[in-house]
Amino acid sequence: MKISITKTTAPKEKPTETPAFGRIFTDHMFLMNYSEETGWRDARIVPHGNMSFSPACAALHYGQETFEGMKAYRGKDGKCYLFRPEMNARRANFSNARVCIPNFPEADYIEAVKALVNLDIDWIPNEPDGSLYIRPFFFADDPFLGVAVSKTYQFAIIMCPVGAYFGAFQPVGIYVEDEYVRAVRGGTGQSKTGGNYAASLAALTRAQENGCAQALWLDGVERKYIEEVGTMNIFFKISGKIITPALNGSILAGITRDSILTLCRDMGFEVEERPITIDELASSAESGALEETFGTGTACVIAPVSHFLYKGRKILVGDGNEGKTSRNLYDTLAKIQRGDMEDKFNWRVPV
Ligand SMILES: *Cc1c(COP(=O)(O)O)cnc(C)c1O
């Protein structure tokens, strides 16, 4: 793939303090267009700035859009690394297929990310938890108000310098949402498509009104089985075992989830991927068997949970403080991602 590069003539001031997540953008972005006649064309890096499309742009009206989230890290060795980028490229196509966006060559996807990171590499914050958050996304841009598969698309990548997501590994409270649902089997829950997140905002608002950081999603049919938390997969440590809901067709298959499962097995934990109900969670908390709970995702890596709020009742996780296993998993994964530890599973990709 040939990528043309137009560098900015007005480089921005880089933040000196930890920037708020997702608000500050690097100097450049990657763009590409698609039409049926040409396929994907015009790979280019240009100064980060506003994009142009018709007010009838299909994505704005009917949500034909997908995105990914990944990070670039600077290691102690001074090198820059991506983490399992081939998984993001593959999942992008999985998401695209669900909402009829054309397939994108996975090698080109990684090449585009690398080219952009290379150009804006000085934007990686110089702090222990600093990284570049990378947001590749596809959207339909046909200027047409009928509900139809678009004939034209744009692919773009933008990047943000970020620090730790939830601040300094502070356990957070989670509101158990028992009215709204995130996804159902056969729907779009396994795909990173914008509509899923629009549908999640009312629950997030309710969680925040109840003093919680995120909403816990129960299954869409019975409101009984635990699915995910906010935009993270969820893990429990119960009587020494690591348990996470099995991928069931409505849960998003997180790359962090997959990595944590691998690490836990490697550390010798007994690991279960299976359905787990909110009642099992409540009773294991009551009996003292629930030792730890944490969410997993690229943005936060691991977010420990202090308690749940379910039908007005507080379910306390352990003693409500940071758990040893959560901390150990966070430190291990962070070290692998940054090149501070042996990369046993071949997850790191140098830029
Ligand atoms: C992106 C996302 C995750 C986490 O996926 P990672 O690949 O680990 O970042 C989990 N749940 C939802 C709903 C997501 O959108």
Side-chain angles (χ1 to χ4, degrees):
M1 180 172 60
K2 201 185 141 349
I3 304 174
S4 85
I5 296 179
T6 310
K7 283 195 190 170
T8 180
T9 51
K12 289 178 283 196
E13 195 92 35
K14 296 183 182 69
T16 46
E17 315 240 299
T18 302
F21 187 92
R23 295 229 180 253
I24 293 173
F25 300 95
T26 69
D27 277 329
H28 299 92
M29 62 183 182
F30 178 92
L31 297 176
M32 212 161 170
N33 296 76
Y34 175 94
S35 69
E36 283 174 348
E37 299 76 43
T38 62
W40 290 107
R41 63 162 197 280
D42 286 346
R44 60 199 187 276
I45 291 175
V46 297
H48 180 101
N50 292 350
M51 301 168 86
S52 168
F53 39 76
S54 159
C57 174
L60 291 180
H61 298 271
Y62 308 119
Q64 202 188 353
E65 185 267 358
T66 67
F67 66 92
E68 271 300 321
M70 54 204 290
K71 278 180 173 174
Y73 308 86
R74 200 195 325 267
K76 280 211 187 102
D77 55 9
K79 284 193 196 133
C80 176
Y81 296 102
L82 300 173
F83 183 70
R84 309 184 76 183
E86 69 289 349
M87 299 276 280
N88 296 95
R90 196 188 313 153
R91 190 171 63 188
N93 277 329
F94 177 87
S95 297
N96 283 0
R98 181 64 182 79
V99 295
C100 300
I101 294 175
N103 192 273
F104 191 88
E106 288 168 23
D108 289 353
Y109 191 99
I110 296 169
E111 196 186 326
V113 169
K114 282 186 179 174
L116 187 62
V117 170
N118 248 322
L119 197 60
D120 283 344
I121 206 159
D122 291 341
W123 279 84
I124 302 180
N126 240 330
E127 56 176 286
D129 286 314
S131 60
L132 273 187
Y133 183 77
I134 306 167
R135 167 54 57 87
F137 60 106
F138 294 88
F139 64 98
D141 72 343
D142 254 16
F144 173 53
L145 285 186
V147 174
V149 174
S150 182
K151 293 184 191 322
T152 60
Y153 297 87
Q154 299 193 31
F155 172 48
I157 309 173
I158 54 177
M159 302 195 300
C160 300
V162 297
Y165 193 64
F166 288 110
F169 209 71
Q170 263 306 318
V172 294
I174 301 291
Y175 181 84
V176 182
E177 175 58 56
D178 59 356
E179 183 193 1
Y180 300 129
V181 297
R182 192 189 86 89
V184 290
R185 249 177 258 186
T188 54
Q190 291 177 292
S191 304
K192 284 183 106 77
T193 180
N196 291 340
Y197 305 85
S200 77
L201 297 175
L204 176 62
T205 303
R206 185 140 68 191
Q208 290 170 341
E209 284 167 0
N210 282 279
C212 293
Q214 294 282 345
L216 178 84
W217 301 108
L218 301 177
D219 74 283
V221 180
E222 298 179 76
R223 312 282 196 284
K224 192 172 146 186
Y225 296 99
I226 292 169
E227 299 232 308
E228 302 194 45
V229 50
T231 56
M232 293 178 286
N233 296 111
I234 190 158
F235 284 76
F236 306 102
K237 188 173 175 219
I238 301 178
S239 303
K241 268 188 220 164
I242 304 293
I243 300 168
T244 191
L247 299 178
N248 60 355
S250 53
I251 292 173
L252 192 117
I255 296 163
T256 320
R257 176 188 182 278
D258 183 83
S259 309
I260 290 294
L261 282 172
T262 303
L263 283 180
C264 285
R265 291 193 174 105
D266 188 61
M267 288 171 174
F269 282 106
E270 199 175 324
V271 174
E272 292 179 356
E273 293 178 75
R274 63 164 171 88
I276 172 166
T277 63
I278 184 70
D279 289 339
E280 179 182 346
L281 182 71
S283 63
S284 66
E286 228 156 79
S287 73
L290 177 63
E291 297 164 32
E292 298 185 33
T293 299
F294 54 91
T296 65
T298 296
C300 64
V301 188
I302 279 180
V305 174
S306 57
H307 65 277
F308 295 91
L309 198 58
Y310 179 47
K311 295 190 191 290
R313 263 178 49 213
K314 198 168 171 178
I315 302 174
L316 194 66
V317 177
D319 60 4
N321 292 318
E322 162 189 325
K324 259 197 217 129
T325 306
S326 316
R327 167 56 78 176
N328 186 22
L329 286 167
Y330 177 91
D331 289 342
T332 305
L333 197 53
K335 278 184 191 153
I336 295 176
Q337 287 169 331
R338 282 158 210 282
D340 298 343
M341 201 169 145
E342 187 204 345
D343 182 21
K344 221 170 158 176
F345 306 103
N346 266 316
W347 285 338
R348 272 197 308 264
V349 173
V351 171

